[in-house]
Amino acid sequence: MLEFVHRYDVDSEILTQAVVNYARERLRLNPVPLDGTHSRAELTTAVGETITPDGIGGVEALRIFDELLSRACISVDHPRNLSFIPAAPTKAAILFDLVVGASSVYAGSWLEGAGAVHAENQALRWLSDLAGFPPEAGGVFVQGGTIGNLSALVAARYRMQTRGGAAPAGGRPTVWRIACGAEAHSSVEAAARVMGAELLVVPADAEGRLTGPALAHALDTADPDVRDSVFAVVATAGTTQFGIVDDIRGIVDVAHERDLWAHVDGAYGLAALAAESVRHLFAGTADADSFIVDPHKWLFAPFDACALIYREPALARAAHAQKAGYLEVLETADDWNPADYAIGLSRRARGLPFWFSLATHGTRAYGAAVEKSLATARAAADQIRALPYVELVREPQLSVVVLRRLNWTPENYYEWTEKLLRAGFAFVTPTVHEGETVTRFAIVNPCTEPADIAAILGSMA
Ligand SMILES: *Cc1c(COP(=O)(O)O)cnc(C)c1O
């Protein structure tokens, strides 16, 4: 019945050619088209029904994707796409994503995916070494920073719930809490909600950083039942809104003095561990209990991949390993099963595109590529300082630059964003800071040049 899966007939040869040609052409585009977004009504009319009892055929489905669907998706890798956190995968990483798909690998267990897991672990090792984690550290590539943060925090709470010792005077907490800075990523709050936990939000300093002293003050002056309910502290290594790095050294020390798990959320920013000019900003990460960094943000990998790394992987394994009769066979050997270290069981070898690109280009090229975006961000800040009609909202620390256009209303920002996108020129969205609408350049693409920034700033005149 399903023989078509393996049939190598003329049709499948034609489809292979068509798909490979499509991928080849997309990779050759320079620059890629920015494309745009379309309404559901427009797509319904243009695309028609694609799911039919007899199938429309792969060549026709590919045509619809090429001519209609792909054009209704904004290219994240366009050099003037500076919205949210875009992406800039290398050609090597994109090509290998095709290979991963073609290889039918199950990467949840060592038994089934040993070769893939071995290579993923080498890539994790590079990140772990950059962070200064010990040799026994390890982890897993998960879908994104949201699942990475959640998985680390689940491990942290499990450790707190299961360790021995006397219960606090007021008894075991009924509600657990995570301490984090006011500018921590929304996924930390989302994780708390999923876990039925709450946040202890600590005010940031004037630069938007959570500091060790502020954390210590918040913990030490909280009600005893609140203080005793905190099981983890999250330091942000590069906030999403501003790219500001918390006082990681101070936060990790304060957490450990109180026997709390210290997690570093570096989904965007920890990529800059590869860049010598800013590596010092991340001091203290080496002593954390876990950290995350998303290769799909600033490490030139395609969606989706977040590296989640634990100092003591056994603590995470205790929290996450699933038990079932049909899985027993995986537990008999002392193997490294990636599924034991995060939420989720079945997994794609999603770290392999990143591994392949890293193996292809070498780590030095990664350092240079990250430095390039940092230099472009510094150039952007200089340009903004030199123009009379814009100003920096804060001095950038990494590669996110937030600016206001003097005398613009929120409507002005929204109209400007739409105009640039409609022209296929740039994608730069507004953001809200302390109730004020401003805009933001997130620069993670080494192909983004100072001239691109100048052209975008020129469009705000
Ligand atoms: C993007 C981001 C996240 C969430 O990562 P996803 O991959 O989008 O799930 C978490 N924390 C920070 C600091 C981020 O920038």
Side-chain angles (χ1 to χ4, degrees), residues 85 143-147 149 185 187 236-240 265-269 292 294 296-297 306:
I85 306 272
Q143 296 92 315
T146 300
I147 301 293
N149 283 337
H185 189 262
S187 58
T236 307
T239 59
T240 321
D265 175 2
Y268 150 70
I292 62 160
D294 281 358
H296 67 216
K297 282 185 171 166
C306 163

mmCIF file of all heavy atoms in Angstrom, residues 85 143-147 149 185 187 236-240 265-269 292 294 296-297 306, ligand 1:
data_model
loop_
_atom_site.group_PDB
_atom_site.id
_atom_site.type_symbol
_atom_site.label_atom_id
_atom_site.label_comp_id
_atom_site.label_asym_id
_atom_site.label_seq_id
_atom_site.Cartn_x
_atom_site.Cartn_y
_atom_site.Cartn_z
ATOM 1 N N ILE A 85 14.561 38.245 16.786
ATOM 2 C CA ILE A 85 15.947 37.816 16.563
ATOM 3 C C ILE A 85 15.882 37.027 15.257
ATOM 4 O O ILE A 85 15.322 35.930 15.225
ATOM 5 C CB ILE A 85 16.486 36.913 17.685
ATOM 6 C CG1 ILE A 85 16.334 37.559 19.067
ATOM 7 C CG2 ILE A 85 17.940 36.534 17.387
ATOM 8 C CD1 ILE A 85 17.436 38.448 19.542
ATOM 9 N N GLN A 143 14.309 22.165 20.948
ATOM 10 C CA GLN A 143 13.733 22.993 19.873
ATOM 11 C C GLN A 143 14.126 24.455 19.959
ATOM 12 O O GLN A 143 14.305 25.108 18.946
ATOM 13 C CB GLN A 143 12.206 22.922 19.896
ATOM 14 C CG GLN A 143 11.614 21.563 19.605
ATOM 15 C CD GLN A 143 11.383 20.767 20.873
ATOM 16 O OE1 GLN A 143 12.243 20.715 21.750
ATOM 17 N NE2 GLN A 143 10.242 20.134 20.955
ATOM 18 N N GLY A 144 14.144 24.994 21.154
ATOM 19 C CA GLY A 144 14.429 26.416 21.278
ATOM 20 C C GLY A 144 14.666 26.790 22.722
ATOM 21 O O GLY A 144 14.601 25.928 23.619
ATOM 22 N N GLY A 145 14.910 28.063 22.932
ATOM 23 C CA GLY A 145 15.223 28.541 24.273
ATOM 24 C C GLY A 145 14.079 28.330 25.247
ATOM 25 O O GLY A 145 14.302 28.133 26.445
ATOM 26 N N THR A 146 12.862 28.359 24.754
ATOM 27 C CA THR A 146 11.711 28.174 25.636
ATOM 28 C C THR A 146 11.738 26.780 26.264
ATOM 29 O O THR A 146 11.616 26.636 27.486
ATOM 30 C CB THR A 146 10.411 28.377 24.836
ATOM 31 O OG1 THR A 146 10.427 29.713 24.307
ATOM 32 C CG2 THR A 146 9.189 28.178 25.689
ATOM 33 N N ILE A 147 11.929 25.763 25.437
ATOM 34 C CA ILE A 147 11.993 24.389 25.954
ATOM 35 C C ILE A 147 13.292 24.187 26.739
ATOM 36 O O ILE A 147 13.326 23.446 27.721
ATOM 37 C CB ILE A 147 11.912 23.373 24.793
ATOM 38 C CG1 ILE A 147 10.603 23.571 24.004
ATOM 39 C CG2 ILE A 147 11.997 21.944 25.301
ATOM 40 C CD1 ILE A 147 9.352 23.243 24.765
ATOM 41 N N ASN A 149 14.922 26.512 28.582
ATOM 42 C CA ASN A 149 14.740 27.095 29.918
ATOM 43 C C ASN A 149 13.823 26.223 30.767
ATOM 44 O O ASN A 149 14.108 25.963 31.940
ATOM 45 C CB ASN A 149 14.150 28.511 29.802
ATOM 46 C CG ASN A 149 15.195 29.550 29.382
ATOM 47 O OD1 ASN A 149 16.395 29.350 29.570
ATOM 48 N ND2 ASN A 149 14.742 30.649 28.811
ATOM 49 N N HIS A 185 13.576 36.897 29.812
ATOM 50 C CA HIS A 185 12.751 36.572 28.644
ATOM 51 C C HIS A 185 11.379 36.032 29.070
ATOM 52 O O HIS A 185 11.264 35.362 30.108
ATOM 53 C CB HIS A 185 13.464 35.533 27.781
ATOM 54 C CG HIS A 185 12.802 35.303 26.457
ATOM 55 N ND1 HIS A 185 11.943 34.251 26.233
ATOM 56 C CD2 HIS A 185 12.837 36.014 25.313
ATOM 57 C CE1 HIS A 185 11.504 34.306 24.985
ATOM 58 N NE2 HIS A 185 12.028 35.372 24.407
ATOM 59 N N SER A 187 9.865 33.578 28.177
ATOM 60 C CA SER A 187 9.815 32.123 28.306
ATOM 61 C C SER A 187 10.065 31.670 29.743
ATOM 62 O O SER A 187 9.685 30.551 30.110
ATOM 63 C CB SER A 187 10.831 31.460 27.370
ATOM 64 O OG SER A 187 12.128 31.912 27.641
ATOM 65 N N THR A 236 20.248 36.444 32.785
ATOM 66 C CA THR A 236 20.089 36.575 31.341
ATOM 67 C C THR A 236 21.398 37.083 30.735
ATOM 68 O O THR A 236 21.885 38.153 31.092
ATOM 69 C CB THR A 236 18.930 37.534 31.009
ATOM 70 O OG1 THR A 236 17.763 37.103 31.714
ATOM 71 C CG2 THR A 236 18.642 37.539 29.516
ATOM 72 N N ALA A 237 21.938 36.289 29.840
ATOM 73 C CA ALA A 237 23.200 36.641 29.176
ATOM 74 C C ALA A 237 22.856 37.251 27.824
ATOM 75 O O ALA A 237 22.991 36.620 26.784
ATOM 76 C CB ALA A 237 24.078 35.410 29.023
ATOM 77 N N GLY A 238 22.360 38.496 27.871
ATOM 78 C CA GLY A 238 21.935 39.153 26.634
ATOM 79 C C GLY A 238 20.421 39.169 26.569
ATOM 80 O O GLY A 238 19.813 38.217 26.078
ATOM 81 N N THR A 239 19.789 40.237 27.085
ATOM 82 C CA THR A 239 18.329 40.302 27.028
ATOM 83 C C THR A 239 17.911 40.411 25.565
ATOM 84 O O THR A 239 18.644 40.939 24.722
ATOM 85 C CB THR A 239 17.792 41.514 27.799
ATOM 86 O OG1 THR A 239 18.355 42.719 27.244
ATOM 87 C CG2 THR A 239 18.140 41.433 29.275
ATOM 88 N N THR A 240 16.717 39.929 25.291
ATOM 89 C CA THR A 240 16.232 39.921 23.911
ATOM 90 C C THR A 240 15.941 41.347 23.443
ATOM 91 O O THR A 240 16.237 41.712 22.312
ATOM 92 C CB THR A 240 14.966 39.054 23.822
ATOM 93 O OG1 THR A 240 15.167 37.924 24.676
ATOM 94 C CG2 THR A 240 14.723 38.570 22.421
ATOM 95 N N ASP A 265 20.391 32.047 30.978
ATOM 96 C CA ASP A 265 19.637 32.074 29.723
ATOM 97 C C ASP A 265 20.423 32.924 28.730
ATOM 98 O O ASP A 265 20.363 34.143 28.748
ATOM 99 C CB ASP A 265 18.239 32.654 29.966
ATOM 100 C CG ASP A 265 17.453 32.805 28.659
ATOM 101 O OD1 ASP A 265 17.980 32.417 27.594
ATOM 102 O OD2 ASP A 265 16.313 33.313 28.723
ATOM 103 N N GLY A 266 21.144 32.224 27.864
ATOM 104 C CA GLY A 266 21.926 32.910 26.844
ATOM 105 C C GLY A 266 21.427 32.575 25.457
ATOM 106 O O GLY A 266 22.222 32.481 24.510
ATOM 107 N N ALA A 267 20.113 32.404 25.320
ATOM 108 C CA ALA A 267 19.536 31.945 24.043
ATOM 109 C C ALA A 267 20.078 32.772 22.888
ATOM 110 O O ALA A 267 20.536 32.241 21.880
ATOM 111 C CB ALA A 267 18.014 32.024 24.093
ATOM 112 N N TYR A 268 20.051 34.086 23.075
ATOM 113 C CA TYR A 268 20.629 34.959 22.051
ATOM 114 C C TYR A 268 22.120 35.230 22.342
ATOM 115 O O TYR A 268 22.983 34.983 21.500
ATOM 116 C CB TYR A 268 19.824 36.271 21.994
ATOM 117 C CG TYR A 268 20.629 37.479 21.585
ATOM 118 C CD1 TYR A 268 21.096 37.619 20.272
ATOM 119 C CD2 TYR A 268 20.954 38.464 22.512
ATOM 120 C CE1 TYR A 268 21.865 38.714 19.910
ATOM 121 C CE2 TYR A 268 21.713 39.564 22.150
ATOM 122 C CZ TYR A 268 22.174 39.683 20.855
ATOM 123 O OH TYR A 268 22.939 40.761 20.503
ATOM 124 N N GLY A 269 22.419 35.708 23.544
ATOM 125 C CA GLY A 269 23.710 36.350 23.775
ATOM 126 C C GLY A 269 24.917 35.457 23.968
ATOM 127 O O GLY A 269 26.028 35.860 23.654
ATOM 128 N N ILE A 292 21.762 27.863 28.425
ATOM 129 C CA ILE A 292 21.286 27.576 27.069
ATOM 130 C C ILE A 292 21.839 28.612 26.103
ATOM 131 O O ILE A 292 22.132 29.749 26.485
ATOM 132 C CB ILE A 292 19.740 27.590 26.944
ATOM 133 C CG1 ILE A 292 19.156 28.974 27.280
ATOM 134 C CG2 ILE A 292 19.096 26.510 27.772
ATOM 135 C CD1 ILE A 292 17.760 29.205 26.729
ATOM 136 N N ASP A 294 20.994 29.387 21.698
ATOM 137 C CA ASP A 294 20.288 28.935 20.491
ATOM 138 C C ASP A 294 21.187 29.078 19.258
ATOM 139 O O ASP A 294 21.395 30.201 18.784
ATOM 140 C CB ASP A 294 19.054 29.820 20.212
ATOM 141 C CG ASP A 294 17.839 29.481 21.073
ATOM 142 O OD1 ASP A 294 17.907 28.530 21.874
ATOM 143 O OD2 ASP A 294 16.820 30.182 20.917
ATOM 144 N N HIS A 296 20.177 28.674 16.420
ATOM 145 C CA HIS A 296 19.347 29.282 15.370
ATOM 146 C C HIS A 296 19.254 30.800 15.524
ATOM 147 O O HIS A 296 18.631 31.450 14.693
ATOM 148 C CB HIS A 296 17.970 28.627 15.279
ATOM 149 C CG HIS A 296 17.049 28.826 16.458
ATOM 150 N ND1 HIS A 296 16.192 27.845 16.883
ATOM 151 C CD2 HIS A 296 16.823 29.867 17.284
ATOM 152 C CE1 HIS A 296 15.482 28.279 17.926
ATOM 153 N NE2 HIS A 296 15.853 29.507 18.185
ATOM 154 N N LYS A 297 19.849 31.349 16.564
ATOM 155 C CA LYS A 297 19.829 32.808 16.680
ATOM 156 C C LYS A 297 21.121 33.400 16.127
ATOM 157 O O LYS A 297 21.128 34.018 15.094
ATOM 158 C CB LYS A 297 19.568 33.220 18.126
ATOM 159 C CG LYS A 297 18.090 33.087 18.473
ATOM 160 C CD LYS A 297 17.749 33.586 19.841
ATOM 161 C CE LYS A 297 16.237 33.618 20.029
ATOM 162 N NZ LYS A 297 15.862 33.777 21.429
ATOM 163 N N CYS A 306 18.362 24.630 20.101
ATOM 164 C CA CYS A 306 18.859 25.273 21.320
ATOM 165 C C CYS A 306 19.776 24.278 22.011
ATOM 166 O O CYS A 306 19.397 23.131 22.230
ATOM 167 C CB CYS A 306 17.689 25.603 22.243
ATOM 168 S SG CYS A 306 18.156 25.959 23.958
HETATM 169 C C1 LIG B 1 14.780 33.928 22.086
HETATM 170 C C2 LIG B 1 15.010 33.829 23.522
HETATM 171 C C3 LIG B 1 14.414 32.795 24.274
HETATM 172 C C4 LIG B 1 13.448 31.818 23.664
HETATM 173 O O1 LIG B 1 14.055 31.051 22.698
HETATM 174 P P1 LIG B 1 13.190 30.327 21.545
HETATM 175 O O2 LIG B 1 14.249 29.619 20.775
HETATM 176 O O3 LIG B 1 12.524 31.424 20.765
HETATM 177 O O4 LIG B 1 12.213 29.439 22.218
HETATM 178 C C5 LIG B 1 14.736 32.694 25.609
HETATM 179 N N1 LIG B 1 15.568 33.583 26.176
HETATM 180 C C6 LIG B 1 16.142 34.587 25.501
HETATM 181 C C7 LIG B 1 17.070 35.513 26.208
HETATM 182 C C8 LIG B 1 15.878 34.740 24.143
HETATM 183 O O5 LIG B 1 16.446 35.750 23.471
#
